[in-house]
Amino acid sequence: METSKFKMFKSLYLKDLREVRTEILVVAAVAIILISWAYLKTEGSARGIIVAPMAFALGLAGFLPIITSFKLLGKEWSNNTIYMMMSLPVSGSMMLGSKLAVLVTEYLAGTLMVILTGGIALLTSFPDIWKEFMSDPYYLKLAIAVYGASLTGIFFIFCNSFLSQVTGKLFKKGSGLISFLVFLGVFIIAAKLMPDTNILLNQSQLMVSCSMQEMGAILIKAAIDLFFAALLFAAAVVIWEHRIEL
Amino acid sequence: MIEFRNVSKRFGPVVALNSVNMEFSAGNITGIFGPNGAGKSTIMKLIAGINYPDQGNVKLDGENPRAKRESIAYLPEIDHLYPWWTLRQAADFISTFYRDWDCDRYKELLPFLNLHEQMIMGKISKGQRAKCKLLLVLARKAPYLLLDEPFSGIDLLTREEIADAVIKGYREGEQAIIISTHEIDEIESLVEKVVFIDQGRIQLSGDAEQLRMERNKSLVEIMKEVFRHGNQQI
């Protein structure tokens, strides 16, 4: 039987992707129902209210993958499938990497669906917005930078979730509490090392007063997040490969 | 060859293995026998590379077992398959990871074990799940086959089916099969080598036929004798 690293990764990815289907559908349903409701119940300038359900749905699309990140790995232990996962001839980076890819898929699918639904509702309500948005390429670049930064931020959270869980699994007693403390601890340490770790707040502030310097700040912040996320991921892989026992 | 050199393993205050030395060579079916909590599953997990010794070392063909995972077909005691998987999905998944997966053998064993591909793991009986697990390891031509308590909680007829499937799949001279169990009856006739273990120590080990001849007793009787007296070494 022919095997390849790509096929192995695909198998792991598709297996876990099944676990997040419901969450993606929930975000899509919430976005469509709330935004449609706001759209149909309002007229004229009052339709600006659409940004409220859009913000809520975006929050949900960002929050659910964080919950999933704990569920995806924790379920391997609770279902005893960890016995199979650990005995597969694959590296820890492939194992955790496939789960990370699933979480990123969930985040992208959820957020893009909300942006698309909300975007259509806003553009049909305020056709001038699109013209204004496209008149200055800075806005588009800023939007992409903010979205990219949100992705690196969520990446950091996923990697922290993995590290905290595998660290917790090193202990027979109080595993959940240790995971929670490590999760919090990493945020505290990261907050001290990074000037500002509250990515979501940062983004909203930067959206209000945008300038080229702020765009640069977003990109630097995203790069720092990515660097820390890579460190956390590497640490989680080392623990997975050398310390986790069943 | 699998080698244990002065291997000790503790889980908190419990000593699972205490300075164990032993070897498993290819071409043999070895039975690891002992009561519950004797250390049988720990031996299997150490060979499978999902546990690490606190002291000593375990080598599989001279290497760390984790580096040789593609050579090991491991059947853990617990149900380790996703409950939403059909047997077909489980087979498709596992076959992606092992070059030694043998499709023909898988198809041959399906009717032999009275299984069908659309069975959902979470919706079948314990006996059927045990047979599904067995099928998924026997469908591989792995040099090392580890069966941890394959008969645990399984009815008599299914036990016979499992034992028959193991014999059917055994490639004499090429494969090492290690079966850990406290239910010797089912595999008494199957095993060529035996290891009796209790409280993390090997109490008796050797060639099954030789032990039967020397003592003029069955393995079941020998086990009773060994665990009654304890600390008897060959």
Side-chain angles (χ1 to χ4, degrees):
Chain A
M1 191 87 187
E2 271 302 304
T3 61
S4 70
K5 297 277 182 205
F6 175 73
K7 277 186 186 173
M8 291 178 191
F9 187 87
K10 190 178 151 197
S11 279
L12 291 169
Y13 174 79
L14 291 177
K15 170 185 72 63
D16 283 331
L17 194 63
R18 185 190 180 280
E19 303 278 339
V20 304
R21 278 187 316 196
T22 313
E23 281 87 343
I24 293 173
L25 288 174
V26 165
V27 171
V30 166
I32 291 168
I33 292 168
L34 291 185
I35 292 168
S36 304
W37 182 79
Y39 183 84
L40 295 171
K41 288 282 177 185
T42 53
E43 276 181 12
S45 60
R47 276 195 177 156
I49 196 73
I50 286 171
V51 293
M54 205 177 151
F56 175 76
L58 270 178
L60 193 68
F63 179 70
L64 283 184
I66 297 171
I67 302 296
T68 311
S69 72
F70 284 94
K71 210 175 71 177
L72 212 54
L73 201 55
K75 261 182 134 176
E76 300 286 14
W77 269 271
S78 57
N79 280 339
N80 291 323
T81 47
I82 188 69
Y83 278 82
M84 186 172 55
M85 293 295 111
M86 293 287 288
S87 54
L88 290 176
V90 296
S91 63
S93 53
M94 187 187 283
M95 192 65 76
L96 295 178
S98 64
K99 290 187 187 298
L100 197 59
V102 167
L103 294 169
V104 170
T105 305
E106 186 186 349
Y107 179 76
L108 290 176
T111 51
L112 290 176
M113 225 160 345
V114 175
I115 290 168
L116 191 70
T117 315
I120 291 169
L122 283 173
L123 285 176
T124 52
S125 307
F126 307 100
D128 293 342
I129 290 180
W130 185 245
K131 278 184 197 164
E132 205 175 315
F133 189 70
M134 293 308 284
S135 66
D136 187 351
Y138 176 78
Y139 292 126
L140 184 64
K141 284 179 187 171
L142 184 71
I144 293 170
V146 167
Y147 190 67
S150 79
L151 194 60
T152 57
I154 203 91
F155 217 69
F156 173 84
I157 297 172
F158 294 153
C159 293
N160 187 8
S161 160
F162 286 167
L163 177 65
S164 60
Q165 286 180 85
V166 293
T167 307
K169 293 297 176 196
L170 297 177
F171 301 88
K172 294 279 175 201
K173 286 180 183 171
S175 166
L177 179 67
I178 292 163
S179 293
F180 177 69
L181 292 176
V182 172
F183 189 69
L184 278 185
V186 167
F187 272 117
I188 292 166
I189 293 167
K192 290 195 173 176
L193 293 175
M194 288 193 272
D196 208 346
T197 52
N198 199 334
I199 296 145
L200 292 172
L201 272 178
N202 266 357
Q203 282 165 7
S204 60
Q205 283 163 8
L206 289 164
M207 281 295 279
V208 174
S209 57
C210 49
S211 72
M212 289 309 282
Q213 285 167 332
E214 281 163 342
M215 175 115 90
I218 296 172
L219 294 176
I220 289 167
K221 184 82 172 58
I224 293 170
D225 279 348
L226 206 58
F227 173 73
F228 274 91
L231 284 184
L232 298 180
F233 184 76
V237 167
V238 168
I239 294 173
W240 176 279
E241 287 187 344
H242 300 286
R243 302 295 304 162
I244 293 284
E245 287 189 286
L246 301 177
Chain B
M1 177 186 276
I2 302 167
E3 294 168 272
F4 278 61
R5 293 279 168 263
N6 295 316
V7 173
S8 295
K9 181 73 186 168
R10 295 177 75 97
F11 294 101
V14 180
V15 179
L17 291 180
N18 194 349
S19 294
V20 168
N21 286 290
M22 59 181 168
E23 285 177 3
F24 301 97
S25 50
N28 283 312
I29 301 181
T30 306
I32 302 178
F33 304 128
N36 293 327
K40 305 185 296 294
S41 290
T42 305
I43 290 175
M44 299 302 235
K45 287 179 189 175
L46 286 165
I47 300 171
I50 56 176
N51 268 2
Y52 306 106
D54 295 334
Q55 283 174 3
N57 55 63
V58 179
K59 296 281 181 198
L60 203 147
D61 295 336
E63 287 184 56
N64 185 322
R66 273 187 84 81
K68 301 283 290 180
R69 278 177 292 182
E70 74 283 353
S71 310
I72 303 164
Y74 171 53
L75 177 112
E77 183 185 0
I78 50 143
D79 289 333
H80 67 307
L81 302 173
Y82 290 93
W84 48 267
W85 259 351
T86 61
L87 179 55
R88 177 59 192 256
Q89 285 172 320
D92 285 345
F93 179 82
I94 290 169
S95 64
T96 315
F97 296 89
Y98 300 100
R99 282 195 186 87
D100 57 23
W101 179 266
D102 186 339
C103 258
D104 295 335
R105 201 163 142 61
Y106 166 75
K107 285 174 187 161
E108 187 190 340
L109 282 168
L110 262 174
F112 185 79
L113 285 165
N114 293 313
L115 297 170
H116 60 84
E117 290 190 312
Q118 297 315 312
M119 286 175 157
I120 299 170
M121 294 304 122
K123 292 184 179 173
I124 54 177
S125 70
K126 191 174 179 179
Q128 285 174 318
R129 261 199 311 276
K131 288 196 288 183
C132 287
K133 282 161 57 185
L134 187 76
L135 168 64
L136 294 171
V137 291
L138 291 182
R140 288 181 53 201
K141 287 181 172 172
Y144 298 98
L145 176 58
L146 312 177
L147 307 176
D148 191 4
E149 300 281 6
F151 309 111
S152 178
I154 307 298
D155 68 71
L156 194 66
L157 285 176
T158 311
R159 286 178 189 196
E160 282 176 9
E161 281 183 288
I162 289 175
D164 289 345
V166 173
I167 298 167
K168 189 176 167 68
Y170 180 47
R171 288 174 296 116
E172 207 170 344
E174 298 170 40
Q175 198 175 30
I177 300 182
I178 304 169
I179 307 173
S180 89
T181 183
H182 55 268
E183 292 157 289
I184 302 184
D185 290 358
E186 279 73 20
I187 55 163
E188 163 111 38
S189 58
L190 228 80
V191 294
E192 295 155 299
K193 305 273 182 191
V194 289
V195 176
F196 291 98
I197 185 167
D198 193 16
Q199 294 173 355
R201 283 184 179 276
I202 293 175
Q203 307 291 340
L204 178 69
S205 64
D207 184 87
E209 192 52 40
Q210 200 181 337
L211 285 174
R212 280 193 211 100
M213 297 267 281
E214 280 172 4
R215 300 180 180 224
N216 200 23
K217 285 174 181 170
S218 69
L219 290 180
V220 177
E221 288 167 324
I222 295 172
M223 183 170 93
K224 284 177 185 168
E225 187 184 278
V226 167
F227 295 140
R228 211 173 286 139
H229 297 111
N231 298 325
Q232 191 174 347
Q233 296 278 347
I234 280 190

